[in-house]
Amino acid sequence: MQAPNAAKNRSVGQVAPQTAVFDAALALKSGAVLPGFTLVYETYGALNAARSNAVLVCHALSGNHHVAGFHDAARRKETLGWWDNLVGPGKPLDTRRFFVVGVNNLGGCHGSSGPMSINPETNRPYGADFPLVTVEDWVAAQARLADYLGIETWAAVIGGSLGGMQALQWTLEYPQRARHGIVIASTPRLSAQNIAFNEVARQAILSDPDFHGGHYYEYDPADRHAAVKPRNGLRLARMVGHITYLSDDQLAEKFGRRMRHGKHRFNYEVEFEIESYLRHQGDKFAEVFDANSYLLATKALDYFDPAFDYAGDLRAALARAKAGFFVASFTTDWRFTPEKSREIVYALLHNGLNVSYAEIDCDAGHDSFLLDAPHYHAALTAYLQGITL
Amino acid sequence: MQAPNAAKNRSVGQVAPQTAVFDAALALKSGAVLPGFTLVYETYGALNAARSNAVLVCHALSGNHHVAGFHDAARRKETLGWWDNLVGPGKPLDTRRFFVVGVNNLGGCHGSSGPMSINPETNRPYGADFPLVTVEDWVAAQARLADYLGIETWAAVIGGSLGGMQALQWTLEYPQRARHGIVIASTPRLSAQNIAFNEVARQAILSDPDFHGGHYYEYDPADRHAAVKPRNGLRLARMVGHITYLSDDQLAEKFGRRMRHGKHRFNYEVEFEIESYLRHQGDKFAEVFDANSYLLATKALDYFDPAFDYAGDLRAALARAKAGFFVASFTTDWRFTPEKSREIVYALLHNGLNVSYAEIDCDAGHDSFLLDAPHYHAALTAYLQGITL
């Protein structure tokens, strides 16, 4: 066990995002072409002379490039990276050993080209005209960033959930450029239930009167604090999404039927604490995230299906992979169940690949991948330490 | 196996709803008082001379009094009762033997007093001013209907889901007036996750600009086909609810990742069949149901908790019961899991009551209770046949 102070000292410290601009056009899977694009990214640790120690961290639905450290020392907690418990000196993804890169994906809302960017054809924000992007497109854009950074081969590409899909896709699209794929709490494809929840989220946003066909930025008043956005749709989308990230057990333990006022009040205000929590999560997210980016990310999730071009045969789809793999799932994850991770593991094993698989007993549901359940980080640490540089 | 024609002949045939008006005030659990109220109900079969063969069917969230038979011979399928597969001559709840009563609950939108009724104080529809009602209130109102029909004691009170809560509550509130409680796919209380899903549904409705604080009826134009209602909020509420009624397995089998056009189209139209199904369910429901009634019913679900006044001790809470019980759950029901039904069963057994429990292997999730999974109907038939009249 690390004392809290020791953990604090293991931070990568204050970090700042960087920007890479790519002038060459990028042909997307949809057939659309981006004439050029920008990626915002962060790096932690140092690239070694052999350029063999770089690790790419891919983010999930609501993540971004800010993986570790903090942006503002005065607001350290509020500006902490989303996977800071994993990345830093002495942490599982040890920045004393690895050069770690976080990147905001295309279509995002944290600085990379996306719906909030200016469309060169109209000189106005793309809005809904930003093309739909896929996991394959993200990986292609990330490969451009690797070129830009002088990284021919990643020691590993790692991600959880939608990030895990990108890690897997890297090993398929660029089998020579990713020596290890680390796929956590992910799935080889969304189930009908997964798509259904995404569809509810999309419909909540698309039907919000403030969506304005995806061009809501144009309705902004001069006072940008009153920005027009489909706040309510995004709030509902996040609420329903959030329920699926957590386990029934964990909600029972954290909230159960605990009441705000100790008794029934017979109105539509908060009665049960779970209602308050959910509203707060929704409100918070609606302020900081962009609805068009959210829509795009849910579609990228739906579309991901490497076996699609192989008549559903995942084993055949993964035959291209050459990497070593670490796959992890969580027992209470009902969004992407351990069964889905096992599908990936079996398909990889049938292709004669080296696969480490950990099924972690953790009560936190899908979001377990963001936490530091002891066995989870221990298994990941061991795997990462075994990677030769 | 019954041939289709035999099943058809086992219908109770064409039926018509009846109305009972109650002038005496009803004090609700919230403290509000209804000065009087109306219940719409249907009956099937005949009350015997001893008045000992009456069975009350309680409905769930979106159900009503129209349990069996059809309202319009020309539109037989469209006007079929929601539990027609269970109730009729020769069916599990055999109308040759039992006098079956279906009733629309207080706060509903199918003829009983509810938000669409005229508030005598204002001469306008109650809307959001209709008081919040609970399972206890429903049972109290149903007891008035029993009095009105001359039924001192029900042979059984039966219901699924929220209907099962009413059946259980009958055995607690009126232990001498319900000889058997039949509690199907139900729970002794909602979990935090259950409440969370209800809260998303409520927020979708409450935040719909067409909700107008629950007084949307007043915004109706003369042409009632263009009725103002929070259609979109109700649609979203139903979509998210519907996902929780079905099992992951069943969705996988029925829809999987089947695409509407055989390929990705990269837009927000229907791509996967599950999206089309979900939209259709939402649209259909939003036309036929009232949003205020939906809000009330979700709150009744949240509030139900017989153990609340017993410091959470369900065994103590059920000590009042005298009835015999049939409890059934379904293996793939993740909304109200078999574990929840077992809690009821154990608490009843600890009180020395006679309990039959069936855990039915059925892939249809929570909605299994509406289907005729063979072992389910067989077990229920056996139990109902064993009831002495």
Side-chain angles (χ1 to χ4, degrees):
Chain A
M1 293 291 288
Q2 293 282 346
N5 273 347
K8 222 169 192 176
N9 292 336
R10 295 187 302 155
S11 171
V12 299
Q14 186 152 344
V15 294
Q18 300 172 70
T19 298
V21 178
F22 301 91
D23 292 328
L26 182 70
L28 302 174
K29 199 179 174 193
S30 67
V33 176
L34 275 182
F37 61 94
T38 297
L39 291 179
V40 62
Y41 67 99
E42 287 184 8
T43 70
Y44 322 105
L47 189 60
N48 63 10
R51 298 179 174 273
S52 65
N53 70 333
V55 174
L56 176 66
V57 177
C58 303
H59 69 75
L61 186 58
S62 59
N64 55 40
H65 55 284
H66 181 40
V67 176
F70 47 88
H71 283 165
D72 179 351
R75 295 175 57 248
R76 184 172 169 140
K77 198 182 154 193
E78 296 82 351
T79 64
L80 207 63
W82 58 270
W83 224 352
D84 188 74
N85 64 20
L86 193 85
V87 178
K91 292 184 181 176
L93 186 45
D94 193 336
T95 49
R96 297 173 306 192
R97 188 157 182 262
F98 291 108
F99 174 64
V100 179
V101 179
V103 58
N104 185 215
N105 282 326
L106 278 182
C109 54
H110 291 92
S112 292
S113 293
M116 295 167 80
S117 307
I118 297 300
N119 181 349
E121 285 184 24
T122 62
N123 279 320
R124 296 189 303 185
Y126 275 104
D129 296 332
F130 196 84
L132 263 66
V133 282
T134 63
V135 168
E136 292 91 325
D137 297 328
W138 286 340
V139 167
Q142 290 160 1
R144 297 266 185 102
L145 179 66
D147 296 341
Y148 173 91
L149 295 172
I151 296 162
E152 173 56 30
T153 304
W154 299 102
V157 181
I158 180 174
S161 190
L162 179 53
M165 295 175 176
Q166 296 160 59
L168 181 59
Q169 187 61 32
W170 257 99
T171 69
L172 304 180
E173 199 64 32
Y174 304 101
Q176 312 299 343
R177 300 193 68 178
R179 290 194 286 127
H180 294 271
I182 301 179
V183 180
I184 303 169
S186 195
T187 176
R189 76 193 75 77
L190 261 58
S191 70
Q193 190 190 67
N194 294 148
I195 296 174
F197 278 121
N198 279 348
E199 174 64 3
V200 174
R202 282 191 293 267
Q203 290 297 315
I205 293 169
L206 294 168
S207 67
D208 187 319
D210 286 332
F211 183 63
H212 296 295
H215 294 286
Y216 45 90
Y217 319 109
E218 300 176 22
Y219 294 79
D220 271 3
D223 171 14
R224 70 177 295 279
H225 291 292
V228 172
K229 56 193 293 191
R231 196 172 268 104
N232 191 53
L234 188 54
R235 174 175 169 267
L236 292 170
R238 181 62 170 183
M239 287 173 79
V240 68
H242 202 79
I243 300 174
T244 71
Y245 305 149
L246 307 176
S247 74
D248 191 21
D249 286 353
Q250 184 196 23
L251 286 174
E253 196 179 310
K254 261 179 104 163
F255 303 101
R257 295 179 55 86
R258 204 167 63 248
M259 283 183 292
R260 166 65 55 96
H261 305 285
K263 58 173 186 167
H264 304 315
R265 307 255 286 199
F266 298 101
N267 61 39
Y268 296 112
E269 300 303 310
V270 166
E271 298 222 60
F272 294 96
E273 289 294 350
I274 178 65
E275 296 171 300
S276 169
Y277 173 76
L278 213 53
R279 291 183 194 184
H280 176 71
Q281 292 295 330
D283 288 339
K284 202 172 64 172
F285 189 74
E287 288 310 316
V288 301
F289 212 83
D290 177 63
N292 280 317
S293 288
Y294 197 80
L295 288 173
L296 290 176
T298 65
K299 289 297 279 187
L301 274 164
D302 287 6
Y303 288 139
F304 183 69
D305 185 8
F308 183 73
D309 290 331
Y310 296 84
D313 183 346
L314 188 63
R315 177 181 169 174
L318 303 191
R320 288 179 286 166
K322 306 281 181 211
F325 284 90
F326 177 84
V327 178
S329 68
F330 300 93
T331 48
T332 56
D333 182 352
W334 60 278
R335 186 180 173 90
F336 298 157
T337 60
E339 191 188 352
K340 302 295 177 191
S341 283
R342 275 185 250 127
E343 275 189 54
I344 297 174
V345 170
Y346 294 140
L348 292 169
L349 288 175
H350 276 297
N351 281 301
L353 294 162
N354 282 322
V355 187
S356 295
Y357 175 56
E359 200 163 303
I360 308 289
D361 200 353
C362 179
D363 76 350
H366 185 60
D367 268 0
S368 297
F369 86 86
L370 296 167
L371 307 181
D372 56 356
H375 296 301
Y376 163 43
H377 274 198
L380 196 46
T381 300
Y383 188 85
L384 287 162
Q385 283 177 346
I387 294 179
T388 55
L389 301 185
Chain B
M1 294 289 288
Q2 292 282 346
N5 272 347
K8 222 170 190 174
N9 292 336
R10 296 189 301 156
S11 171
V12 298
Q14 184 151 346
V15 294
Q18 300 172 69
T19 298
V21 178
F22 301 90
D23 292 326
L26 182 70
L28 303 173
K29 199 179 174 192
S30 67
V33 176
L34 275 182
F37 61 95
T38 296
L39 291 179
V40 61
Y41 67 98
E42 288 184 7
T43 70
Y44 323 104
L47 189 61
N48 62 11
R51 299 178 173 272
S52 64
N53 70 332
V55 174
L56 176 66
V57 177
C58 303
H59 69 76
L61 186 59
S62 58
N64 55 40
H65 55 285
H66 181 39
V67 175
F70 46 89
H71 282 164
D72 179 351
R75 296 175 57 246
R76 184 171 170 141
K77 197 182 154 192
E78 296 83 349
T79 65
L80 207 62
W82 59 269
W83 224 353
D84 186 75
N85 64 21
L86 192 85
V87 178
K91 293 184 180 175
L93 187 43
D94 193 336
T95 49
R96 296 173 307 192
R97 189 158 181 260
F98 292 107
F99 174 65
V100 179
V101 179
V103 58
N104 186 213
N105 282 325
L106 278 182
C109 52
H110 290 93
S112 292
S113 292
M116 296 166 79
S117 307
I118 297 299
N119 182 346
E121 285 183 25
T122 63
N123 278 321
R124 295 188 306 183
Y126 275 102
D129 296 332
F130 195 85
L132 264 66
V133 282
T134 63
V135 168
E136 292 91 325
D137 298 327
W138 287 340
V139 167
Q142 289 160 2
R144 297 267 186 103
L145 180 66
D147 297 340
Y148 173 91
L149 295 172
I151 296 163
E152 174 56 32
T153 305
W154 298 103
V157 180
I158 179 174
S161 189
L162 178 54
M165 294 175 177
Q166 296 160 59
L168 181 60
Q169 187 61 32
W170 257 98
T171 69
L172 304 180
E173 200 63 32
Y174 302 102
Q176 312 299 342
R177 299 192 68 179
R179 291 194 286 126
H180 295 270
I182 301 179
V183 180
I184 303 168
S186 196
T187 177
R189 76 194 73 78
L190 261 59
S191 70
Q193 189 190 68
N194 293 149
I195 297 173
F197 278 121
N198 279 349
E199 174 64 5
V200 174
R202 281 191 293 266
Q203 290 298 316
I205 293 169
L206 294 168
S207 66
D208 187 319
D210 285 333
F211 184 63
H212 296 294
H215 293 286
Y216 45 90
Y217 319 107
E218 300 175 21
Y219 293 79
D220 272 3
D223 170 14
R224 70 178 295 278
H225 291 292
V228 172
K229 56 195 291 191
R231 198 172 265 104
N232 191 54
L234 188 54
R235 174 175 168 264
L236 292 169
R238 181 62 170 183
M239 286 172 80
V240 68
H242 202 78
I243 299 174
T244 71
Y245 305 149
L246 307 176
S247 75
D248 191 19
D249 286 354
Q250 185 195 23
L251 286 174
E253 195 180 310
K254 261 178 104 165
F255 303 101
R257 295 180 55 86
R258 204 166 64 249
M259 284 184 291
R260 167 64 57 95
H261 305 286
K263 58 172 187 170
H264 304 316
R265 306 253 288 199
F266 298 101
N267 61 39
Y268 296 112
E269 300 302 310
V270 167
E271 298 223 59
F272 294 96
E273 289 294 349
I274 178 66
E275 297 173 298
S276 168
Y277 173 76
L278 213 53
R279 291 184 194 184
H280 176 69
Q281 292 295 329
D283 288 339
K284 201 171 65 172
F285 189 73
E287 287 310 316
V288 300
F289 212 83
D290 177 63
N292 282 317
S293 288
Y294 197 81
L295 288 172
L296 290 176
T298 65
K299 289 298 277 187
L301 274 164
D302 287 6
Y303 289 138
F304 184 69
D305 186 6
F308 183 74
D309 289 331
Y310 297 83
D313 182 346
L314 188 63
R315 177 181 168 173
L318 303 191
R320 286 180 287 165
K322 305 283 180 208
F325 283 90
F326 176 84
V327 179
S329 67
F330 300 92
T331 49
T332 56
D333 182 352
W334 60 278
R335 186 178 174 92
F336 298 157
T337 60
E339 192 188 350
K340 302 296 177 191
S341 283
R342 273 185 252 126
E343 275 189 55
I344 297 173
V345 170
Y346 294 140
L348 292 170
L349 288 175
H350 277 297
N351 281 300
L353 294 162
N354 281 321
V355 186
S356 295
Y357 175 55
E359 200 164 304
I360 308 289
D361 200 353
C362 179
D363 76 349
H366 185 60
D367 268 359
S368 296
F369 86 86
L370 295 168
L371 307 180
D372 55 356
H375 296 301
Y376 164 43
H377 273 199
L380 196 46
T381 300
Y383 188 84
L384 286 163
Q385 284 178 345
I387 294 179
T388 54
L389 300 186

